Amino acid sequence: MSTPFLAATILEDPLLLFLVGLSLLVLFIWYFASERERMKRNVGTVLVLGVTGLCLLALYPPGDTLKGGIDIVGGSSFSLKVQPNIDPDTGEPLPITQDEIEQAKAIIQKRLGGGGTKDLLMASVGTDGIDLQMPGMSPEEAKQTEELLERVAKLELREVNMNGFERDPSGRSLAQRVYEDEEIIPGFKAYLHKAEDREGVMQEEYLLLSRRNIVDGSNIVKAYPQMDGAASIVGVELDGEGGDAMFRATKGMRKEYDRIAALLDDEVITAPTVNDTLSKNFVITGQKNLEESRELASQLNNPLKNPLKIEEKSAISPALGKAVVEQGVMAGVIGLGLTAVFILIYYRTAGLVALLGLTVNTVLIFGAMAMFGFTFTLPGIAGIILTIGMAVDANVLIYERLREELGHGKSLETAINTAYEKAFSAIFDANITSLIAAVILFWRASGTVQGFAVTLTVGLLSSMFSAILVTRVFFRWANDLKMLKGLSFLNLVKSQGFDFLGKRRIALVISSLLLVAAIGGFATKRTDALGVDFTGGTLIQFQLGEEVKIGQEEAQKALDGLELSSKPIIQEQVNPTTGELLTIRCDSADADKIERHLRQTFEPLSQMNPVLDASGNDTGETRWAIDATTKEVSATLGKEFFTNSLIALGIGLFAMLIYISIRFEFSFALGAFAALVHDIIVATGIVVLLGGQLSLIHVGAILAIAGYSVNDTIVVFDRIRESLLTSRGKVIDLMNEALNATLSRTILTSLTTILTVAILAFYGGASLREFSVMILVGLIVGTYSSIFVASPVVLWWGSKRGRNLRKEVLDASLAGEPEAAN
């Protein structure tokens, strides 16, 4: 059986995919329930091979399965016009409000965003326009998108007049005669309904429907796709008012005879027979497959208040530029390669096991992204960098514990078992804390933040699987086959007994100065600290036509030396009708300067043509041979994006505080919160002070910094908790001892992650440099804060309340310590 056929067979058959997934779940439970080492080894092996194999199938072929976002691969652009509603009294169009524009954008995001799996960019243009950009699509997907955009999704349920089926001597029904305007029946309208029968043959029937709705889309609480045997249907739940109306309408109907028609945008989609008295719940039939049911449910859940008209569509180049993307990929590969070499040199044989685990981890991440159709964007890549960094951190945690156990004279097998047991709580708590935040971001946020949450969730689950299970299985095989006689590591960072907490007052001064500088930078620059993604601006479009070629990279180089208020976003577009366009989204204050400079730089843009009158005579006036149109555009990161993101972040932080309080103690939750806020403010402030402007690419960087800050802090807290629970002495001495014990792990993890990001910063191109510099700053600040901010806050708050921190940690530990994976 060929690989493509096998992949298609498993991944495109929902039942088979469900059975495969269920089998893997059973193996997963079996692995952790088993007590015998050999059974664990064998079940774990089958589980690793099964999950990895499924992900490899999902990745085949990589060029077709992995989807890049607009910033990486480009895509399609749609110029949309929001149509006015009609005043029912006067018949005149009503003015379009800003709320209607925002509602249309929100519905587009819900219909096409795929719950964070798709990369959409939208901006309001003028008073009634929306510019929509989506990642690369096939012709079929583009056509489907157009239909989804222009469909209002206005649902109406109406009673079918059964007299409409009565036929005249010629054999034509009353409904047909009304449809063909030969007769008029007051209060009723005729429709032609087309649908396939059970044999797949298209059938037509004329229906005479009441003009009065039983219920409409405003009564829908929710719609959801479901299967009824082999048939795909849509379940609909109505509100109380709609349920009462449906009950009244169907109570007196003749069962198995009378019919109700469902109309979507004034087109009959189904007209089933009423089999029983209906109320709040009913189903809509007639969908060919589950995908159609999903689309219809999505439309019914998200109806447009105003129709949309597609005025123009075109292909667009990657927002980052092809060369930048290629440089970024190469820099990333080099960075990860150097990290791999470092791990091999430092941990030797154990490093090889770690690399095998990281390889499986990478396959799982990309396989899951491909399997579920998730889109890779720059913020998504930030999530991957974070999760790979956390996966490396998990291995470093285990190996540093292994070094300690071997140093205590334990046998290799015992040392490995003990190292995994002791490292488990730190890995578990760090990943679960981040996972809580990721799930809440996915639930409440939208757009870019939701996309980051998707990637982070996938990465966290795969990194926990690979660190706790995959490498453990490799070690079991190595032990059983007598391949390991002993393990040796480099030990460049040794515990020095440094009094970290004794320097907390100096650290307080340093952090205070950093915070004041960062906040001062924002206060001084204000809106100048924000790029056009946040503030909106002007869209300049040069209509180049078929012959003139001015590329994105050429235009970017031409503007690089120009002093501008904010960095412009340049893209190439290809319109099937008018040819190539060069578009620049910039600050409104820079628009004239940019247009003038580009015309001076590129000879085709500087040419003038004479203006002729109606008779073809020269008027003596001239105009640009290549015209430029300018339109005011809104921020791509709009009000709803910020509202949803802030709510999600607030709920996420609160949930993290609760979890850390339960697993550790409230002092630790407060310390983690202080370090997180410190890291985000300082990192963004430093970027602004260095002359940067915050834009869409920085959103992912900020979220990655927050994730790294939490992970680093939780790992340090885990060791502090262990010291407080197992050792005697003053709290401050035990905390210092824990900080010194984790120093090698902190430095090694930070260095490996910083190495990759630094190479991306210096060799990844201008756009990626801004993105990676921010993460680089955040990594350095996060490493500092886990020691000099989080821990001192824990000590300060514990002392302030005058309570026994060791006793409180013991109480929290007894409340629910997770069982170590073995």
Side-chain angles (χ1 to χ4, degrees), residues 331-332 334-335 338-339 385 750-765 768-769 772-773 775-777 779-780:
I334 294 172
L338 290 175
T339 300
I385 290 173
S750 299
L751 282 178
T752 53
T753 311
I754 286 171
L755 178 64
T756 302
V757 177
I759 291 173
L760 202 60
F762 290 107
Y763 299 104
L768 286 176
R769 186 173 298 121
S772 44
V773 162
I775 294 182
L776 188 61
V777 172
L779 289 172
I780 295 170

Side-chain angles (χ1 to χ4, degrees), residues 591-609:
D592 290 339
K593 184 189 294 186
I594 287 173
E595 181 182 348
R596 188 166 55 250
H597 185 75
L598 289 175
R599 290 194 183 281
Q600 292 171 353
T601 305
F602 298 104
E603 192 269 335
L605 299 182
S606 65
Q607 292 180 1
M608 308 287 288
N609 284 343

Side-chain angles (χ1 to χ4, degrees), residues 128-309:
D128 60 356
I130 297 174
D131 181 53
L132 167 67
Q133 294 186 4
M134 293 186 66
M137 297 181 289
S138 66
E140 293 79 13
E141 290 173 324
K143 184 179 179 181
Q144 186 180 34
T145 298
E146 291 176 37
E147 292 174 357
L148 287 173
L149 286 170
E150 294 189 320
R151 178 170 286 176
V152 177
K154 180 183 179 183
L155 179 72
E156 300 164 296
L157 296 185
R158 299 182 189 174
E159 184 178 351
V160 178
N161 187 332
M162 301 307 291
N163 294 328
F165 295 106
E166 296 178 358
R167 298 185 179 275
D168 63 12
S170 67
R172 293 188 305 156
S173 67
L174 173 61
Q176 183 177 354
R177 298 197 300 274
V178 173
Y179 183 81
E180 294 173 352
D181 296 329
E182 293 183 15
E183 293 192 35
I184 297 175
I185 308 295
F188 293 87
K189 181 180 178 181
Y191 291 83
L192 175 60
H193 176 221
K194 298 180 180 181
E196 292 182 357
D197 61 19
R198 293 181 178 178
E199 285 72 37
V201 179
M202 185 64 70
Q203 301 290 340
E204 296 182 353
E205 71 171 338
Y206 293 93
L207 301 174
L208 188 63
L209 307 185
S210 171
R211 288 183 181 273
R212 186 183 299 276
N213 293 335
I214 300 173
V215 295
D216 60 28
S218 64
N219 300 115
I220 294 177
V221 175
K222 65 178 178 180
Y224 45 90
Q226 61 185 68
M227 298 296 294
D228 182 14
S232 299
I233 59 177
V234 174
V236 179
E237 180 183 334
L238 300 174
D239 58 16
E241 181 184 346
D244 292 342
M246 183 68 84
F247 179 81
R248 289 193 300 270
T250 58
K251 183 172 62 173
M253 287 186 173
R254 293 163 292 182
K255 305 305 180 280
E256 307 292 341
Y257 180 75
D258 286 332
R259 297 166 66 181
I260 289 178
L263 295 88
L264 188 69
D265 296 341
D266 205 37
E267 179 180 330
V268 177
I269 55 175
T270 184
T273 301
V274 176
N275 297 324
D276 200 356
T277 301
L278 303 176
S279 56
K280 292 179 66 173
N281 296 284
F282 63 94
V283 298
I284 299 174
T285 60
Q287 289 73 56
K288 295 178 183 177
N289 50 49
L290 192 58
E291 186 61 33
E292 276 196 14
S293 295
R294 286 196 189 100
E295 289 175 9
L296 178 57
S298 174
Q299 293 159 20
L300 295 179
N301 285 323
N302 305 294
L304 284 165
K305 292 181 180 178
N306 296 70
L308 293 174
K309 180 183 178 184

Side-chain angles (χ1 to χ4, degrees), residues 61-82:
D64 297 333
T65 54
L66 294 176
K67 300 177 180 179
I70 300 162
D71 46 7
I72 296 173
V73 299
S76 299
S77 173
F78 297 90
S79 295
L80 308 174
K81 186 74 73 175
V82 179

